[in-house]
Amino acid sequence: TKMVDETVKKLGLDISYYIEGRIKTGEVYKGTPFEVQGKLLDYSFYETPISLKIINQKRFAWEINTEEYSKKGEANFGDPVVTSKFSFLVTPDSNVFKNNPRINEINYQFRFHDHKELVSKYKKRLVIEPIPDASAISISLEDEVMEKAIDFLNTLVNIYIENSISVNKQVNENTLAFIDGQLSQVENQLNGIESNLEQYQKDKTTF
């Protein structure tokens, strides 16, 4: 669960992006002309679509509609939008703007996801199986967006490798510390024996 949690955070999957079409709305994993950062103050708004339409390279319009709540407004890119239910900040990607002159004709959406539920969902979708006659395992993941599934698996494996290296490093450090401690004890014991021998020789000579 911890590594899945780290993977979700690293890929920024707590917020998803969509494009509204005439027939259906589809998720967009990469290539959106903006990135959203924010949080919900009212958790009932998880999975609720917030529409976003680009006005120009500096401004955008947003709107949210539910049975009990409706609100809309305009804001500058980089300026926080704050309401009693949520807050968010939209950062534009100038490269995407340049490559798409008709970008203001596209209707976008973004949605906040419950982090714990998202981690649980990915944990359930992960399939880990041993490979017959090999000291390895097979890891697969089902997702609506293939590229996101690939990134998730690659990031998960990298986090596993990083954690393994960190654990091995800690084990080695602990082992070295233990050996140093043992050597120190042996050295003290030898010093004690040497002192006793010297004292014994002195006593014998005096006698």
Side-chain angles (χ1 to χ4, degrees):
T1 301
K2 182 181 178 182
M3 288 193 295
V4 174
D5 179 88
E6 288 181 32
T7 303
V8 169
K9 288 179 179 177
K10 198 164 187 176
L11 292 176
L13 301 181
D14 289 326
I15 298 177
S16 294
Y17 305 90
Y18 305 82
I19 290 180
E20 299 176 7
R22 292 181 180 179
I23 300 175
K24 69 174 185 176
T25 298
E27 183 178 354
V28 181
Y29 174 56
K30 289 182 177 179
T32 54
F34 58 85
E35 180 183 0
V36 177
Q37 294 175 309
K39 65 178 181 178
L40 293 182
L41 304 176
D42 185 338
Y43 295 156
S44 67
F45 281 78
Y46 280 126
E47 308 302 329
T48 301
I50 299 177
S51 298
L52 189 149
K53 192 172 182 65
I54 295 170
I55 299 172
N56 52 47
Q57 292 189 6
K58 294 183 178 180
R59 290 184 65 77
F60 65 91
W62 62 272
E63 184 174 359
I64 182 171
N65 288 300
T66 69
E67 293 181 359
E68 300 177 351
Y69 184 82
S70 180
K71 197 172 184 66
K72 63 181 180 179
E74 293 184 5
N76 292 326
F77 287 111
D79 288 348
V81 174
V82 181
T83 74
S84 60
K85 305 293 184 180
F86 52 82
S87 62
F88 64 86
L89 183 146
V90 183
T91 304
D93 186 332
S94 56
N95 291 325
V96 179
F97 272 71
K98 292 176 182 178
N99 296 329
N100 194 342
R102 301 179 64 182
I103 203 167
N104 58 352
E105 298 177 11
I106 301 173
N107 296 317
Y108 291 96
Q109 282 184 7
F110 65 91
R111 303 176 190 178
F112 292 94
H113 305 298
D114 182 285
H115 183 77
K116 290 184 179 179
E117 289 187 6
L118 198 61
V119 170
S120 178
K121 182 186 79 171
Y122 277 106
K123 187 179 177 183
K124 290 177 181 177
R125 288 184 178 183
L126 271 175
V127 178
I128 303 175
E129 297 176 327
I131 298 175
D133 303 323
S135 58
I137 58 173
S138 169
I139 306 177
S140 59
L141 174 72
E142 289 188 8
D143 194 272
E144 294 82 3
V145 182
M146 183 181 294
E147 190 176 9
K148 183 164 66 173
I150 293 171
D151 281 356
F152 189 94
L153 291 175
N154 287 335
T155 303
L156 182 68
V157 170
N158 288 335
I159 288 174
Y160 172 78
I161 293 172
E162 289 171 3
N163 288 346
S164 297
I165 293 173
S166 177
V167 168
N168 289 334
K169 183 180 178 182
Q170 185 64 45
V171 169
N172 291 336
E173 289 176 352
N174 291 339
T175 302
L176 289 173
F178 175 77
I179 292 173
D180 287 342
Q182 293 296 308
L183 289 174
S184 179
Q185 289 182 16
V186 171
E187 185 178 1
N188 290 335
Q189 291 174 358
L190 290 174
N191 290 335
I193 293 171
E194 186 178 359
S195 297
N196 290 336
L197 284 172
E198 289 178 355
Q199 187 63 44
Y200 173 76
Q201 289 175 349
K202 288 180 181 179
D203 294 343
K204 187 176 180 181
T205 303
T206 303
F207 180 78

